[in-house]
Amino acid sequence: MPTETATPGDEQELQPLSLRFPSSPHGAQLARRHAVRWLEERGHPLASDVSCAVALVVGELAANAVQHGRVPGREFGLRLALDPVAGLLRVEVADAASAKPLPTAAPSSCPEGESGRGLLLVDALAERWGSASRRPVGKTVWAELRLDASTPSRLPCLTDVTRSAW
């Protein structure tokens, strides 16, 4: 079960969302669902391009945290923060693994390969993205997405999967 650390208040709409999830495929799925629901509560409907882009980016970053950043007994974190002035949503996914090098660029992958396209997708959907070490251990991979119409239109959306989970 995710653990929420967001503080409710009068400016709840601008309060960042901060949750922790089990480092498992189910945890990654829950992270994506919570991100989409949080955006919906802030006026971005499930089928909107912004919601679909966020679902894909959160899904990819959370899946990477589970697959490549998993430390037994440790959770991964998801943080979402709106910057209405800049028109951006910042997505951060933090894990406890620090042994692997931080991602610095989307890898080029073999077209026939079964994996390796996740960061290419993040790179295509985000205004910018990167990673940072965490102290004492771990890393955070982040992406900033536009909240306006400049998001690529008609993204493949996961709304059917998302709706069925509520």
Side-chain angles (χ1 to χ4, degrees):
M1 194 68 177
T3 308
E4 185 167 355
T5 57
T7 49
D10 294 337
E11 298 177 357
Q12 185 173 357
E13 185 170 314
L14 295 179
Q15 289 291 326
L17 174 72
S18 197
L19 298 170
R20 304 212 47 85
F21 297 93
S23 191
S24 67
H26 183 66
Q29 182 182 43
L30 288 173
R32 179 179 47 82
R33 289 178 181 165
H34 278 275
V36 169
R37 175 172 274 180
W38 185 81
L39 265 182
E40 183 180 30
E41 291 169 356
R42 280 145 189 83
H44 300 281
L46 288 176
S48 69
D49 288 343
V50 170
S51 181
C52 292
V54 169
L56 290 168
V57 168
V58 168
E60 289 300 331
L61 295 183
N64 284 350
V66 168
Q67 183 175 3
H68 305 293
R70 184 175 187 277
V71 172
R74 304 292 292 271
E75 299 174 314
F76 73 89
L78 169 68
R79 184 175 185 277
L80 303 175
L82 288 172
D83 182 347
V85 174
L88 293 173
L89 170 71
R90 184 173 175 102
V91 174
E92 298 176 356
V93 175
D95 63 51
S98 11
K100 291 192 176 193
L102 297 173
T104 57
S108 58
S109 66
C110 176
E112 293 83 26
E114 291 183 17
S115 65
R117 292 179 190 85
L119 288 179
L120 290 172
L121 181 62
V122 171
D123 191 53
L125 295 173
E127 276 293 299
R128 60 189 190 124
W129 68 276
S131 61
S133 295
R134 290 180 41 223
R135 295 195 190 266
V137 296
K139 66 184 169 301
T140 299
V141 181
W142 56 269
E144 293 178 346
L145 289 89
R146 282 249 162 249
L147 294 171
D148 61 18
S150 66
T151 303
S153 63
R154 303 301 3 127
L155 294 169
C157 195
L158 305 173
T159 48
D160 293 335
V161 174
T162 304
R163 281 193 187 131
S164 67
W166 305 124

